[in-house]
Amino acid sequence: MLCGECVLIPNKDNDGQVEHIYREKTDKRILRKNPWRDYRLHGTVLILVIIAELIGTQKIPLTGDVAITIMPLIYTIVLGLVFYLAKPITWIQRKQARIAEGAMMLFIGVLIAKLAVSSGQSISLIFDMGPALILQELGHLATILILPVALLLGFKEEAIGMTNSIGREPNVAVVVDKYGFNSPESRGVFAIFIIGTVIGTIFISFLVTFSLSFLPLHPYAFAMASGVGSASMNAAAIGPTLAAFPGLESQIEAFAGFSNLLSFCVGIYIVIFVALPLTERMYKWLEPKIGKDSVVKKEDE
Amino acid sequence: MPDLIDGSENVSVHGIFNWILLLAIFSVITVIGNYLGYKHPISDSLVGMGILSLITLIGVWLERELPFNVSSILYISIIGIIVAFPGMPTSKIVLYYVSKIELLSIVTVFLAYVGIGMGKSWDEFKALGWKAIVVTVLVIAATYYGAAIVAHIVLVLSGVPAV
C-alpha cells in the first residue's frame, strides 16, 4: 500500500510513446480485488450523484449578462474529495480511493464511447460546415504557448497536462488514460479542469466582452471561438457575441454550437495525435533551459 | 507493493467478469442521475448505457488482446463512430438510446470517482496553488484567441463576407 506514486513514470526514451506501465497496475486492481464488491465506495458515489442531481444546476447572477453557473459535476468531484478528507467519514479510505482510481480508468471508456457516438452521428455535418470550423480546432494548439509560462512558474511534468489543451472533460480523459491517474501530468490537467470549471465561465464572458471591443475579427470567428470550452462556457461566451452583432443570431448560434460539438468530439483526436506529442516535445526541449525548482516536493528520490 | 511485483497476468474470464460488473454498477448510478437530472426514462437510458458499456468492454478487451501499443480510447472511438455512422444498420437504434444519456450525467458520476481518488494525492494538488489559476486563465485565453484568429484567417481567405 506504500507505493501510490512511484510506478507511473512514463518511459522517456521512446519518443512520445508512453508505455502503459500503470495499465498493469490498474488491471491488477480490477482483476484481483473484485472492485465491484466494495459497496462502500459505489454506495457513496450513488449518494453523491443523487445529492448533486437533486441540487441541480445553480446560476448565481453577478451582473446583467454574467452569471456563475455551478453544475452537478462540480458537486460530485468536490463532495468526493470532502468525503475522502473528512475525518468523521470512516468508510472512504485509501483502499476506496485506490479502487476508485482503477475503476475510473475503465469508466473513461464510457465517456469516450458517448463522444464517439456523437462524432459518428455528426460526421457529415463536419464535412458540410466548411474548412474554417475544422481548422479553428487547430487554433486550440495555441495553449502550448503557455508551456514556457508554466515552466517559469515552477511546474514540471504537470505543465504537460496543463497546457496541452483547454482541459475540459475529454482532455482529462485522454491525459489520464495516457499517463495514469497518479501522474504529475494528470494532476496538472485535473487542476486546470477544476479551476476552469469554477472560474472558466465567468472568465470567458469577461474575455469575450473585452475582445469584441478591441479585436476586429469576423463575427463568425468570434462565434466559433465561443465554442472552445464547456457548454456553460459556450453559453457565457455567446451572450456578448450575440449582442455585438445584431441580426446574425442564428448563424452565430449555429457556428458556436458546431464548434462546441467539434471541440468535444474532434478536439480529442487533435489532442491525442497532435497536441500531446507536441507539448511533450516542447517540454523536453524547454524544461532544461528554463525549468525552475519544482513547486511540488519530490517525496521519493 | 506486493500486488504489483509479479507481472504478467493475462486477462482472464474472471477479469472480464469484473469489468462487466463495474460497468453495470457505473451504468445503474449514471441512469439514476440521468433520471433525476434530466427526466429521461429509466428503461431507455439503461439500454443506452448498455450500448456504451459494450463498446467500452470491446475497446478495453481489444487493447489487451491486440499486439499494438494503442490506447483503448482509440478502439472505443472507432467502434463508437462506426456504429453511429449515418447509413450503418446500427445507427438508428444506437442514436436513439444513446441520446437518452446526457454526456453530463456520465461526467457527473465519473467525477465522483475522480474526487474520491484525488483525495489520496490532495497534498500534491495543494502545492499547485495560485500558480495553477494563472495557468488556467492563460490556457483559456490562448484557446479562445487561437480559435478566433485561425477561424478569422480561414474565413477571410475563403472569401466569406464579413456581413
Side-chain angles (χ1 to χ4, degrees):
Chain A
M1 292 302 233
L2 288 171
C3 187
E5 282 78 31
C6 52
V7 203
L8 303 155
I9 303 108
N11 189 343
K12 295 262 164 34
D13 302 328
N14 57 0
D15 196 36
Q17 281 279 9
V18 177
E19 282 173 10
H20 289 165
I21 301 166
Y22 67 89
R23 184 78 83 208
E24 290 197 349
K25 186 175 149 187
T26 311
D27 272 5
K28 284 262 132 71
R29 235 169 259 174
I30 292 192
L31 292 175
R32 285 261 181 86
K33 291 190 174 162
N34 293 347
W36 47 271
R37 208 180 269 163
D38 199 293
Y39 59 90
R40 290 189 185 91
L41 172 65
H42 304 298
T44 305
V45 169
L46 176 63
I47 291 165
L48 294 187
V49 169
I50 291 174
I51 295 173
E53 294 289 359
L54 287 180
I55 301 175
T57 306
Q58 300 291 330
K59 278 210 170 81
I60 305 165
L62 292 181
T63 65
D65 288 339
V66 184
I68 303 180
T69 312
I70 309 175
M71 307 185 95
L73 56 97
I74 283 292
Y75 311 139
T76 52
I77 192 167
V78 171
L79 284 175
L81 197 55
V82 167
F83 269 51
Y84 181 88
L85 296 175
K87 289 270 171 348
I89 294 164
T90 49
W91 65 92
I92 295 293
Q93 294 299 335
R94 222 179 156 75
K95 175 171 177 253
Q96 277 72 32
R98 288 166 64 92
I99 294 173
E101 266 174 34
M104 198 208 62
M105 299 304 297
L106 181 65
F107 300 155
I108 286 174
V110 181
L111 189 60
I112 299 295
K114 167 72 183 168
L115 291 170
V117 167
S118 306
S119 307
Q121 179 186 11
S122 50
I123 227 162
S124 57
L125 274 178
I126 292 165
F127 291 119
D128 294 345
M129 288 306 293
L133 207 46
I134 298 159
L135 289 173
Q136 60 88 21
E137 287 292 319
L138 290 172
H140 298 189
L141 296 174
T143 54
I144 299 172
L145 299 175
I146 310 300
L147 183 71
V149 182
L151 291 175
L152 288 173
L153 283 172
F155 293 112
K156 294 284 167 193
E157 280 94 347
E158 294 89 3
I160 296 176
M162 291 173 134
T163 60
N164 70 80
S165 65
I166 195 166
R168 306 318 307 156
E169 295 87 343
N171 317 117
V172 172
V174 168
V175 171
V176 175
D177 181 76
K178 184 164 183 179
Y179 299 97
F181 188 92
N182 257 318
S183 58
E185 287 88 347
S186 293
R187 275 198 289 282
V189 79
F190 279 134
I192 298 291
F193 173 78
I194 295 168
I195 298 169
T197 316
V198 178
I199 65 167
T201 308
I202 180 152
F203 174 68
I204 203 165
S205 54
F206 285 123
L207 182 75
V208 171
T209 312
F210 171 80
S211 311
L212 282 165
S213 46
F214 286 92
L215 280 177
L217 295 182
H218 199 290
Y220 296 164
F222 281 117
M224 290 182 218
S226 304
V228 292
S230 63
S232 61
M233 282 167 74
N234 188 10
I238 212 172
T241 314
L242 287 174
F245 303 106
L248 294 174
E249 282 85 359
S250 59
Q251 290 96 321
I252 287 175
E253 279 171 11
F255 275 117
F258 285 126
S259 152
N260 195 229
L261 188 70
L262 285 191
S263 304
F264 270 68
C265 42
V266 178
I268 69 164
Y269 305 111
I270 292 178
V271 170
I272 294 173
F273 291 114
V274 186
L276 261 184
L278 210 59
T279 316
E280 276 187 343
R281 205 158 282 204
M282 275 276 281
Y283 177 82
K284 267 180 220 164
W285 180 63
L286 274 177
E287 199 277 326
K289 294 191 171 65
I290 60 168
K292 302 274 186 238
D293 287 339
S294 177
V295 290
V296 181
K297 301 269 181 301
K298 285 269 180 298
E299 278 166 18
D300 39 19
E301 270 179 336
Chain B
M1 41 183 227
D3 56 332
L4 293 176
I5 290 168
D6 49 334
S8 60
E9 188 177 26
N10 285 322
V11 176
S12 56
V13 178
H14 177 59
I16 292 175
F17 180 66
N18 276 349
W19 284 341
I20 293 173
L21 279 169
L22 269 181
L23 287 169
I25 292 169
F26 186 70
S27 298
V28 169
I29 300 176
T30 306
V31 167
I32 293 172
N34 200 43
Y35 175 74
L36 292 174
Y38 301 93
K39 299 286 174 275
H40 287 306
I42 287 183
S43 52
D44 284 1
S45 318
L46 270 177
V47 178
M49 280 308 288
I51 293 170
L52 293 178
S53 300
L54 187 63
I55 297 172
T56 307
L57 198 61
I58 297 172
V60 291
W61 181 77
L62 282 177
E63 178 190 333
R64 286 156 179 84
E65 287 301 302
L66 296 181
F68 318 110
N69 184 15
V70 174
S71 163
S72 54
I73 282 189
L74 282 181
Y75 295 120
I76 293 168
S77 296
I78 292 165
I79 300 166
I81 289 173
I82 289 173
V83 294
F85 200 82
M88 286 296 286
T90 45
S91 78
K92 263 214 168 73
I93 189 160
V94 167
L95 288 182
Y96 174 79
Y97 288 110
V98 171
S99 68
K100 295 286 184 275
I101 304 286
E102 298 291 330
L103 179 67
L104 284 176
S105 302
I106 302 175
V107 173
T108 302
V109 184
F110 175 73
L111 289 181
Y113 285 96
V114 170
I116 293 172
M118 267 172 50
K120 209 157 64 68
S121 29
W122 180 237
D123 291 336
E124 284 97 330
F125 273 105
K126 273 197 302 198
L128 300 182
W130 62 271
K131 292 176 174 175
I133 299 178
V134 175
V135 177
T136 307
V137 165
L138 291 175
V139 159
I140 294 173
T143 315
Y144 183 78
Y145 288 125
I149 288 164
V150 172
H152 177 77
I153 292 168
V154 177
L155 285 167
V156 169
L157 288 182
S158 54
V160 178
V163 192

